Amino acid sequence: MTVSAAYAAFGLEPGAGLTAAKSRFRDEVKTLHPDMTEPTPEALTRLASIVEAIRFLERHLPACMEVEISAGQARRGLTRSLRSGERAILLRIPPGVTDGASLQAVGEPDIMVQVRVLAAAPQTATTPCPADFEPLDDFIEAFSRPSANARFARWIRKAQSAA
């Protein structure tokens, strides 16, 4: 199966997005479910094909996330760290980014982040707020902290040198 064939299973143009495909999938499952429709071979075949299509799209499309920033942050640009499950992800937001822009996470070709710029009252201060740097500090802390394996190896070395 290809991405265009998976979108075609829902009657969508390639690139319509995973959200549109999931919406169409839910609508079709509601009508094709055996509780709603007589389970004919055609209906069951159609149900199996759309289940296969949505699973294919979920596996092969980039992960999408959203981040909300203030209008001041959008003007200045910033670096933000996000979490995707257990992974810490770094996102560089360039100065002058607009609402709805899609950015790729640093070093993560399969993760796209959509930026939402929140409308706020105009600010008089133009210097960066220390709170703007907290997510970056959290990201640096998460990656500079030794792993459990490194801590265990250090503990073993200490125990051997003490003996």
Side-chain angles (χ1 to χ4, degrees):
M1 179 172 276
T2 64
V3 172
S4 59
Y7 278 121
F10 299 110
L12 297 171
E13 293 293 320
L18 189 58
T19 306
K22 283 184 176 185
S23 175
R24 193 69 63 92
F25 172 75
R26 285 186 203 100
D27 293 341
E28 290 201 36
V29 165
K30 288 176 187 175
T31 60
L32 292 172
H33 194 275
D35 290 345
M36 299 297 292
T37 305
E38 184 68 30
T40 63
E42 295 83 23
L44 294 176
T45 302
R46 175 73 181 140
L47 185 61
S49 70
I50 64 171
V51 167
E52 180 186 2
I54 198 69
R55 292 219 171 117
F56 179 85
L57 288 175
E58 287 174 339
R59 277 193 318 270
H60 292 90
L61 287 183
C64 295
M65 301 173 72
E66 282 189 357
V67 64
E68 293 181 344
I69 60 173
S70 69
Q73 291 171 330
R75 275 192 313 277
R76 290 188 310 269
L78 71 148
T79 302
R80 185 59 72 86
S81 72
L82 307 168
R83 303 254 345 127
S84 175
E86 294 295 315
R87 291 174 34 191
I89 297 166
L90 186 65
L91 177 68
R92 287 194 182 105
I93 303 171
V97 71
T98 59
D99 186 45
S102 291
L103 303 172
Q104 186 174 358
V106 175
E108 303 285 346
D110 59 337
I111 298 178
M112 294 299 291
V113 180
Q114 190 165 21
V115 178
R116 296 279 172 224
V117 178
L118 303 175
Q123 296 179 342
T124 57
T126 58
T127 59
C129 176
D132 291 344
F133 300 111
E134 288 177 14
L136 181 59
D137 293 339
D138 294 342
F139 181 81
I140 291 169
E141 171 65 24
F143 278 95
S144 64
R145 186 177 326 126
S147 68
N149 292 338
R151 289 192 309 267
F152 181 69
R154 192 178 322 128
W155 178 78
I156 291 293
R157 284 193 300 272
K158 278 187 187 177
Q160 288 174 349
S161 63

